Amino acid sequence: MLLTPPVKNALIWLVIGLVALWLIWLLGSILMPFLVGLTLAYVLHPLVERLKRRRIPRALGAAVAIIVAIGLFIGLFLLLVPVVTEIVPLIREKFPLLLQTIINWGTPLLARFDIHVKFDTASVQQTLSKYLSAHGEDWAGLLLRSASTGGISLLVLLGNLTLIPVVAFYLLLDWTPTLVRIRGLIPPKHRDAVLSFFHDCDVILGQYLRGQLLVMLILAFYYSLGLVIAGFNLALPVGIFTGLAVFVPYVGFGLGLLLALLAGALQFLSWYGVIAVAIVYGIGQLIESMYITPKFVGESIGLHPLLVIFILLAFGTLFGFWGILLALPAGAVLLVVVRRLLAWYRQSALFV
């Protein structure tokens, strides 16, 4: 069967696309730091351009932008430090009391179903004291043993974390020339369609990132205020961390919720802490899903929750932690692809 030139070209591009996808899957662990660096450069590019308009050299502006981004990530991580330093002593001191409270409540309830359970709270307290009050050299030995068993993974992680800002810096330096070179590689007859596609991706990603930043700031303020009103000692670090961590869907909120439940249960040693967290975080989820996210992120770029979960699982399985970070931006680009494919399908002979 003879193939027409358009069909031959389509098959060639299909083969190129399949080979590219295969290489991405094969080299996923190597490519992900570069993709994260590209995403970081894309986010920081407007800031660098603004600094350039203020007559700041591009190299200096790129360095300043990356330092600011690194500072923000370090600050988010440091929010966990007061939480850990407060919760560890609370676990050592109050967890046995919390466990005894749960036992006193749960034992009669289980007895109604003819289930009799006995707990030795003294041994639990002794075990916790042994591990949480360990000497510094014991912790150092544990860290050394962990580093020796997982040293390669640790080195790879540190290497990737170092590589990401380097990639972003060089991309920011050559951002405009790189775009010009990419434009020159596009076949002239397809240039308008491809540039239109990239424009749509740029618009939807810009809306997503700006909207997501506003959502993070609003939720950080809300959760902090809600936990302060509830009387939590760790209201500010837990609330701010929860709000900023929602950038990683479900995972960030789940970690913040877990920290809040643990802090509330250990501080109040009653159902008040759990109920307060349930009310604050439950209302927060309702407000976020029903008003804040549609308002600032926009329904036009919203993804169905089931699709979000699928994308997170798929990218996390294929590319690990970095895949989870890039899942939603990639999902926004895929949304543009799906819209283009649906428009082509409705105008094709297949739909007639």
mmCIF file of all heavy atoms in Angstrom, residues 166-193:
data_model
loop_
_atom_site.group_PDB
_atom_site.id
_atom_site.type_symbol
_atom_site.label_atom_id
_atom_site.label_comp_id
_atom_site.label_asym_id
_atom_site.label_seq_id
_atom_site.Cartn_x
_atom_site.Cartn_y
_atom_site.Cartn_z
ATOM 1 N N VAL A 166 21.969 24.895 39.342
ATOM 2 C CA VAL A 166 22.952 25.132 38.281
ATOM 3 C C VAL A 166 22.267 25.132 36.915
ATOM 4 O O VAL A 166 22.505 26.013 36.074
ATOM 5 C CB VAL A 166 24.073 24.069 38.342
ATOM 6 C CG1 VAL A 166 25.010 24.214 37.144
ATOM 7 C CG2 VAL A 166 24.850 24.183 39.643
ATOM 8 N N VAL A 167 21.417 24.131 36.672
ATOM 9 C CA VAL A 167 20.668 24.068 35.412
ATOM 10 C C VAL A 167 19.797 25.310 35.253
ATOM 11 O O VAL A 167 19.751 25.929 34.173
ATOM 12 C CB VAL A 167 19.810 22.787 35.366
ATOM 13 C CG1 VAL A 167 18.871 22.804 34.173
ATOM 14 C CG2 VAL A 167 20.701 21.554 35.319
ATOM 15 N N ALA A 168 19.092 25.688 36.320
ATOM 16 C CA ALA A 168 18.220 26.864 36.246
ATOM 17 C C ALA A 168 19.022 28.129 35.953
ATOM 18 O O ALA A 168 18.582 28.982 35.165
ATOM 19 C CB ALA A 168 17.450 27.016 37.559
ATOM 20 N N PHE A 169 20.209 28.259 36.540
ATOM 21 C CA PHE A 169 21.028 29.456 36.324
ATOM 22 C C PHE A 169 21.439 29.582 34.867
ATOM 23 O O PHE A 169 21.295 30.653 34.250
ATOM 24 C CB PHE A 169 22.259 29.395 37.224
ATOM 25 C CG PHE A 169 23.210 30.540 37.026
ATOM 26 C CD1 PHE A 169 22.936 31.789 37.553
ATOM 27 C CD2 PHE A 169 24.384 30.365 36.307
ATOM 28 C CE1 PHE A 169 23.806 32.854 37.371
ATOM 29 C CE2 PHE A 169 25.256 31.416 36.112
ATOM 30 C CZ PHE A 169 24.967 32.668 36.648
ATOM 31 N N TYR A 170 21.952 28.512 34.279
ATOM 32 C CA TYR A 170 22.400 28.579 32.889
ATOM 33 C C TYR A 170 21.228 28.758 31.923
ATOM 34 O O TYR A 170 21.361 29.426 30.886
ATOM 35 C CB TYR A 170 23.206 27.336 32.529
ATOM 36 C CG TYR A 170 24.617 27.385 33.063
ATOM 37 C CD1 TYR A 170 25.008 26.588 34.132
ATOM 38 C CD2 TYR A 170 25.563 28.241 32.512
ATOM 39 C CE1 TYR A 170 26.298 26.637 34.633
ATOM 40 C CE2 TYR A 170 26.854 28.298 33.001
ATOM 41 C CZ TYR A 170 27.223 27.497 34.066
ATOM 42 O OH TYR A 170 28.497 27.564 34.568
ATOM 43 N N LEU A 171 20.085 28.177 32.246
ATOM 44 C CA LEU A 171 18.912 28.393 31.395
ATOM 45 C C LEU A 171 18.449 29.848 31.455
ATOM 46 O O LEU A 171 18.050 30.428 30.434
ATOM 47 C CB LEU A 171 17.777 27.464 31.823
ATOM 48 C CG LEU A 171 17.935 25.988 31.459
ATOM 49 C CD1 LEU A 171 16.808 25.168 32.071
ATOM 50 C CD2 LEU A 171 17.945 25.799 29.944
ATOM 51 N N LEU A 172 18.503 30.451 32.642
ATOM 52 C CA LEU A 172 18.117 31.855 32.772
ATOM 53 C C LEU A 172 19.076 32.771 32.025
ATOM 54 O O LEU A 172 18.668 33.796 31.471
ATOM 55 C CB LEU A 172 18.060 32.248 34.254
ATOM 56 C CG LEU A 172 16.879 31.686 35.051
ATOM 57 C CD1 LEU A 172 17.045 31.984 36.526
ATOM 58 C CD2 LEU A 172 15.563 32.271 34.549
ATOM 59 N N LEU A 173 20.356 32.408 32.002
ATOM 60 C CA LEU A 173 21.332 33.217 31.279
ATOM 61 C C LEU A 173 21.029 33.234 29.779
ATOM 62 O O LEU A 173 21.149 34.275 29.125
ATOM 63 C CB LEU A 173 22.746 32.675 31.512
ATOM 64 C CG LEU A 173 23.430 33.021 32.835
ATOM 65 C CD1 LEU A 173 24.839 32.460 32.852
ATOM 66 C CD2 LEU A 173 23.457 34.528 33.066
ATOM 67 N N ASP A 174 20.648 32.087 29.227
ATOM 68 C CA ASP A 174 20.457 31.957 27.779
ATOM 69 C C ASP A 174 18.987 31.755 27.415
ATOM 70 O O ASP A 174 18.675 31.091 26.422
ATOM 71 C CB ASP A 174 21.288 30.779 27.243
ATOM 72 C CG ASP A 174 22.765 30.963 27.497
ATOM 73 O OD1 ASP A 174 23.226 32.109 27.449
ATOM 74 O OD2 ASP A 174 23.457 29.959 27.751
ATOM 75 N N TRP A 175 18.071 32.312 28.196
ATOM 76 C CA TRP A 175 16.651 32.033 27.982
ATOM 77 C C TRP A 175 16.179 32.500 26.605
ATOM 78 O O TRP A 175 15.629 31.714 25.817
ATOM 79 C CB TRP A 175 15.832 32.702 29.079
ATOM 80 C CG TRP A 175 14.394 32.306 29.056
ATOM 81 C CD1 TRP A 175 13.363 32.955 28.449
ATOM 82 C CD2 TRP A 175 13.828 31.142 29.667
ATOM 83 N NE1 TRP A 175 12.182 32.288 28.656
ATOM 84 C CE2 TRP A 175 12.436 31.164 29.404
ATOM 85 C CE3 TRP A 175 14.342 30.095 30.424
ATOM 86 C CZ2 TRP A 175 11.572 30.184 29.853
ATOM 87 C CZ3 TRP A 175 13.480 29.111 30.876
ATOM 88 C CH2 TRP A 175 12.113 29.155 30.595
ATOM 89 N N THR A 176 16.396 33.756 26.291
ATOM 90 C CA THR A 176 15.920 34.284 25.010
ATOM 91 C C THR A 176 16.629 33.644 23.818
ATOM 92 O O THR A 176 15.963 33.218 22.857
ATOM 93 C CB THR A 176 16.074 35.808 24.975
ATOM 94 O OG1 THR A 176 15.321 36.384 26.067
ATOM 95 C CG2 THR A 176 15.556 36.371 23.661
ATOM 96 N N PRO A 177 17.983 33.539 23.809
ATOM 97 C CA PRO A 177 18.634 32.846 22.677
ATOM 98 C C PRO A 177 18.182 31.399 22.523
ATOM 99 O O PRO A 177 18.058 30.909 21.395
ATOM 100 C CB PRO A 177 20.127 32.932 23.029
ATOM 101 C CG PRO A 177 20.241 34.099 23.945
ATOM 102 C CD PRO A 177 18.988 34.120 24.730
ATOM 103 N N THR A 178 17.921 30.725 23.642
ATOM 104 C CA THR A 178 17.455 29.337 23.558
ATOM 105 C C THR A 178 16.090 29.260 22.889
ATOM 106 O O THR A 178 15.833 28.381 22.047
ATOM 107 C CB THR A 178 17.395 28.708 24.954
ATOM 108 O OG1 THR A 178 18.695 28.734 25.550
ATOM 109 C CG2 THR A 178 16.918 27.261 24.878
ATOM 110 N N LEU A 179 15.188 30.172 23.241
ATOM 111 C CA LEU A 179 13.870 30.192 22.610
ATOM 112 C C LEU A 179 13.984 30.471 21.114
ATOM 113 O O LEU A 179 13.245 29.894 20.305
ATOM 114 C CB LEU A 179 12.980 31.245 23.277
ATOM 115 C CG LEU A 179 12.560 30.969 24.727
ATOM 116 C CD1 LEU A 179 11.669 32.094 25.232
ATOM 117 C CD2 LEU A 179 11.858 29.635 24.854
ATOM 118 N N VAL A 180 14.912 31.364 20.734
ATOM 119 C CA VAL A 180 15.102 31.670 19.310
ATOM 120 C C VAL A 180 15.608 30.441 18.561
ATOM 121 O O VAL A 180 15.154 30.132 17.446
ATOM 122 C CB VAL A 180 16.083 32.852 19.152
ATOM 123 C CG1 VAL A 180 16.441 33.062 17.675
ATOM 124 C CG2 VAL A 180 15.474 34.124 19.730
ATOM 125 N N ARG A 181 16.556 29.710 19.182
ATOM 126 C CA ARG A 181 17.075 28.501 18.531
ATOM 127 C C ARG A 181 15.989 27.439 18.404
ATOM 128 O O ARG A 181 15.898 26.748 17.376
ATOM 129 C CB ARG A 181 18.268 27.962 19.323
ATOM 130 C CG ARG A 181 19.528 28.798 19.177
ATOM 131 C CD ARG A 181 20.734 28.057 19.727
ATOM 132 N NE ARG A 181 20.664 27.904 21.162
ATOM 133 C CZ ARG A 181 21.206 28.761 22.031
ATOM 134 N NH1 ARG A 181 21.839 29.853 21.587
ATOM 135 N NH2 ARG A 181 21.102 28.567 23.318
ATOM 136 N N ILE A 182 15.161 27.276 19.432
ATOM 137 C CA ILE A 182 14.075 26.290 19.360
ATOM 138 C C ILE A 182 13.080 26.679 18.272
ATOM 139 O O ILE A 182 12.609 25.828 17.509
ATOM 140 C CB ILE A 182 13.373 26.170 20.727
ATOM 141 C CG1 ILE A 182 14.322 25.554 21.765
ATOM 142 C CG2 ILE A 182 12.109 25.326 20.614
ATOM 143 C CD1 ILE A 182 13.768 25.516 23.162
ATOM 144 N N ARG A 183 12.802 27.962 18.185
ATOM 145 C CA ARG A 183 11.876 28.442 17.146
ATOM 146 C C ARG A 183 12.426 28.127 15.758
ATOM 147 O O ARG A 183 11.676 27.754 14.841
ATOM 148 C CB ARG A 183 11.661 29.944 17.305
ATOM 149 C CG ARG A 183 10.752 30.562 16.253
ATOM 150 C CD ARG A 183 10.758 32.081 16.369
ATOM 151 N NE ARG A 183 9.967 32.685 15.309
ATOM 152 C CZ ARG A 183 8.704 33.041 15.422
ATOM 153 N NH1 ARG A 183 8.068 32.850 16.564
ATOM 154 N NH2 ARG A 183 8.067 33.592 14.409
ATOM 155 N N GLY A 184 13.757 28.252 15.575
ATOM 156 C CA GLY A 184 14.360 27.976 14.287
ATOM 157 C C GLY A 184 14.334 26.513 13.900
ATOM 158 O O GLY A 184 14.462 26.178 12.709
ATOM 159 N N LEU A 185 14.165 25.623 14.873
ATOM 160 C CA LEU A 185 14.113 24.190 14.581
ATOM 161 C C LEU A 185 12.726 23.716 14.159
ATOM 162 O O LEU A 185 12.584 22.593 13.665
ATOM 163 C CB LEU A 185 14.574 23.389 15.799
ATOM 164 C CG LEU A 185 16.048 23.545 16.218
ATOM 165 C CD1 LEU A 185 16.321 22.798 17.515
ATOM 166 C CD2 LEU A 185 16.968 23.049 15.112
ATOM 167 N N ILE A 186 11.718 24.551 14.371
ATOM 168 C CA ILE A 186 10.351 24.156 14.030
ATOM 169 C C ILE A 186 10.153 24.294 12.523
ATOM 170 O O ILE A 186 10.491 25.330 11.945
ATOM 171 C CB ILE A 186 9.330 25.033 14.781
ATOM 172 C CG1 ILE A 186 9.566 24.936 16.294
ATOM 173 C CG2 ILE A 186 7.907 24.605 14.445
ATOM 174 C CD1 ILE A 186 8.714 25.904 17.100
ATOM 175 N N PRO A 187 9.630 23.267 11.835
ATOM 176 C CA PRO A 187 9.352 23.391 10.389
ATOM 177 C C PRO A 187 8.471 24.591 10.114
ATOM 178 O O PRO A 187 7.469 24.818 10.816
ATOM 179 C CB PRO A 187 8.641 22.070 10.061
ATOM 180 C CG PRO A 187 9.083 21.119 11.119
ATOM 181 C CD PRO A 187 9.282 21.943 12.364
ATOM 182 N N PRO A 188 8.824 25.398 9.110
ATOM 183 C CA PRO A 188 8.076 26.644 8.852
ATOM 184 C C PRO A 188 6.573 26.443 8.690
ATOM 185 O O PRO A 188 5.783 27.259 9.175
ATOM 186 C CB PRO A 188 8.718 27.175 7.562
ATOM 187 C CG PRO A 188 10.100 26.608 7.576
ATOM 188 C CD PRO A 188 9.973 25.247 8.213
ATOM 189 N N LYS A 189 6.160 25.373 8.002
ATOM 190 C CA LYS A 189 4.723 25.195 7.757
ATOM 191 C C LYS A 189 3.951 24.825 9.018
ATOM 192 O O LYS A 189 2.722 24.944 9.068
ATOM 193 C CB LYS A 189 4.493 24.157 6.672
ATOM 194 C CG LYS A 189 4.997 22.767 7.025
ATOM 195 C CD LYS A 189 4.712 21.800 5.869
ATOM 196 C CE LYS A 189 5.208 20.390 6.184
ATOM 197 N NZ LYS A 189 4.922 19.456 5.061
ATOM 198 N N HIS A 190 4.673 24.340 10.045
ATOM 199 C CA HIS A 190 4.015 23.990 11.318
ATOM 200 C C HIS A 190 4.317 25.009 12.413
ATOM 201 O O HIS A 190 3.880 24.830 13.546
ATOM 202 C CB HIS A 190 4.462 22.613 11.783
ATOM 203 C CG HIS A 190 4.136 21.504 10.824
ATOM 204 N ND1 HIS A 190 2.856 21.207 10.437
ATOM 205 C CD2 HIS A 190 4.946 20.624 10.170
ATOM 206 C CE1 HIS A 190 2.864 20.189 9.589
ATOM 207 N NE2 HIS A 190 4.121 19.825 9.402
ATOM 208 N N ARG A 191 5.084 26.061 12.063
ATOM 209 C CA ARG A 191 5.571 26.966 13.101
ATOM 210 C C ARG A 191 4.431 27.674 13.825
ATOM 211 O O ARG A 191 4.431 27.773 15.061
ATOM 212 C CB ARG A 191 6.534 27.977 12.485
ATOM 213 C CG ARG A 191 7.255 28.861 13.497
ATOM 214 C CD ARG A 191 8.395 29.587 12.828
ATOM 215 N NE ARG A 191 9.424 28.635 12.396
ATOM 216 C CZ ARG A 191 10.391 28.959 11.551
ATOM 217 N NH1 ARG A 191 10.434 30.175 11.008
ATOM 218 N NH2 ARG A 191 11.295 28.055 11.200
ATOM 219 N N ASP A 192 3.459 28.166 13.079
ATOM 220 C CA ASP A 192 2.356 28.901 13.719
ATOM 221 C C ASP A 192 1.569 28.004 14.675
ATOM 222 O O ASP A 192 1.217 28.424 15.792
ATOM 223 C CB ASP A 192 1.423 29.473 12.650
ATOM 224 C CG ASP A 192 2.078 30.595 11.854
ATOM 225 O OD1 ASP A 192 3.057 31.179 12.351
ATOM 226 O OD2 ASP A 192 1.613 30.859 10.727
ATOM 227 N N ALA A 193 1.295 26.772 14.250
ATOM 228 C CA ALA A 193 0.525 25.856 15.101
ATOM 229 C C ALA A 193 1.309 25.495 16.366
ATOM 230 O O ALA A 193 0.748 25.473 17.472
ATOM 231 C CB ALA A 193 0.170 24.591 14.323
#
